[in-house]
Structures are given as C-alpha cells and as structure tokens.
Amino acid sequence: MGRYGDLNYQWWAKTGFLLSIATFAIGAGAELTAAAMHLALPAWENALFPDMEILGTLGALLSPLVFGVILPLTE
C-alpha cells in the first residue's frame, strides 16, 4: 500500500476534469442564456456564473496535474 492508501489516481483525475468541465459549461451556458434572453439577473447570480467559469477552468487544469502527475510521483 502506498503513502496515500489505495487511491485510484486515474479515476480521480478523469472525474475531477469532467466535473470541472461541467461546472464551466453550466456557468458559461447560464450566463450566455441570460444575456441572450435579456434577463436582469440578481447580484448573487452575476457573481456565481463567472465564479463557476473560473473554478471550472482551474479545476480542469489542476485536477489532472495533481492526481495524474504529482501524487503518483510522491508514492
């Protein structure tokens, strides 16, 4: 058994990447839909959708790096 137990790094890297892409797509889609329909969004939604895009992008970049490269090398 490795240092971090019996982690399936491949599964965590793929799942983290796909969840991050889904988060980005939901945030961007909702923002574009609201803009196309000329809807006035509340302030919390104006903050939520760009944050979802930012977190989705960061997660898509960092998840494969952490779970696909860094953690397996530290075993």
Side-chain angles (χ1 to χ4, degrees):
M1 186 173 342
R3 178 175 172 184
Y4 299 109
D6 191 21
L7 287 178
N8 186 354
Y9 296 119
Q10 181 180 7
W11 184 83
W12 281 104
K14 287 179 183 178
T15 304
F17 179 77
L18 291 176
L19 287 175
S20 298
I21 293 298
T23 302
F24 176 82
I26 291 169
E31 195 169 7
L32 289 174
T33 301
M37 295 176 66
H38 303 291
L39 295 175
L41 296 175
W44 67 272
E45 286 180 351
N46 278 331
L48 176 68
F49 296 144
D51 288 346
M52 288 176 72
E53 293 175 26
I54 293 168
L55 291 175
T57 304
L58 287 175
L61 293 173
L62 292 178
S63 180
L65 181 67
V66 170
F67 291 109
V69 177
I70 295 173
L71 286 179
L73 287 176
T74 60
E75 285 278 326

